Amino acid sequence: MLTQGQRIKNLRKDRKLTQAQVAKALGVSDVTIGYWERDLNEPGGKSLSNLAAFFGVSEAFILYGKEEISNIIPASFGTRKIPIISYVQAGIWTSASDASNLEGNIDYILTDIGLSPRSFALKIKGKSMEPEFTEGDLIIVDPDIGPLPGDYVVAKNGEHEATFKKYRARGRDAGGNEIFSLVPLNQDFPTKHSDQEPISIIGVMVEHRKFRRR
């Protein structure tokens, strides 16, 4: 019979995840995951609930290896890995870009929403989108979705770094080209206009993860 640690390890390996990826999703250290898998410590309380929900099993399965009969289905934290990239990497993101093109150590965020293979995540920096978006928050962006008025988008304006702003459609010019503005939520920052400088949309935000700060 498998130990509790072996069950946790098997669940992780079945989903082809590393200890670090599971730890990031649960908000614990990868050392903690290692202790759980080696039966040096046991998850309890909220950690046990989150672990079971993450793997889509009951707490009873984690503890005893048996599923309890219940009318409640644990919510999944998500199994799709989205790479967290830099604003410089986002600025050069192309139709051929995906996680396989990235070099070095890559951090991922997990989600269960349907996204294109080129989707990526960015960590908010600066204050231009406060108060809705705070520095350190994470957003997931899908480059295969076209923007609608009011959407939040990642765009580039000829520089080597992307920017995150609210999309405002303004019609079309005489040549039929779409005119739009990129609007910051913080009024202390300037609005950018596509008819005044070259701007291209990289992708549309599809998920925002706001982190609690003390």
Side-chain angles (χ1 to χ4, degrees):
M1 182 176 179
L2 296 178
T3 66
Q4 183 180 126
Q6 289 170 331
R7 284 193 292 276
I8 295 171
K9 184 175 182 179
N10 286 347
L11 286 168
R12 175 179 64 79
K13 292 205 164 192
D14 285 346
R15 288 155 178 79
K16 296 180 173 57
L17 296 170
T18 66
Q19 290 182 349
Q21 288 166 349
V22 175
K24 183 181 288 289
L26 299 181
V28 300
S29 70
D30 48 354
V31 173
T32 296
I33 303 297
Y35 280 176
W36 291 348
E37 291 188 355
R38 296 198 301 276
D39 294 298
L40 299 177
N41 201 350
E42 295 183 353
K46 186 176 180 181
S47 292
L48 176 61
S49 299
N50 288 345
L51 184 65
F54 177 74
F55 286 126
V57 299
S58 68
E59 294 179 23
F61 180 81
I62 298 288
L63 293 173
Y64 313 116
K66 297 180 180 180
E67 287 286 6
E68 58 187 6
I69 300 175
S70 173
N71 62 351
I72 299 175
I73 300 175
S76 173
F77 275 55
T79 55
R80 170 76 185 278
K81 297 194 301 181
I82 305 296
I84 302 174
I85 68 175
S86 70
Y87 280 75
V88 173
Q89 289 171 321
I92 57 175
W93 208 248
T94 69
S95 59
S97 298
D98 58 35
S100 65
N101 302 126
L102 300 174
E103 298 180 353
N105 295 324
I106 306 169
D107 287 330
Y108 291 89
I109 187 172
L110 302 176
T111 185
D112 58 1
I113 61 177
L115 298 171
S116 75
R118 299 194 299 123
S119 297
F120 59 85
L122 280 178
K123 188 172 290 187
I124 297 296
K125 67 177 184 178
K127 300 181 177 182
S128 68
M129 295 298 281
E130 290 183 349
E132 180 68 22
F133 300 90
T134 307
E135 190 160 30
D137 286 358
L138 278 170
I139 58 171
I140 298 179
V141 178
D142 193 334
D144 288 349
I145 297 178
L148 297 174
D151 280 346
Y152 295 104
V153 301
V154 172
K156 57 183 176 181
N157 61 351
E159 300 177 356
H160 296 297
E161 189 168 322
T163 185
F164 175 60
K165 296 292 183 289
K166 187 173 184 177
Y167 176 85
R168 179 178 293 164
R170 295 172 46 224
R172 296 186 178 275
D173 60 20
N177 300 308
E178 185 178 27
I179 303 173
F180 60 89
S181 298
L182 298 180
V183 184
L185 299 184
N186 186 338
Q187 296 182 357
D188 291 336
F189 290 79
T191 296
K192 296 180 179 294
H193 304 283
S194 66
D195 55 346
Q196 297 178 9
E197 59 180 303
I199 303 175
S200 59
I201 304 297
I202 298 172
V204 174
M205 185 199 79
V206 294
E207 186 176 341
H208 171 208
R209 297 193 184 180
K210 196 173 186 69
F211 295 93
R212 178 182 177 188
R213 294 167 182 78
R214 296 186 180 275

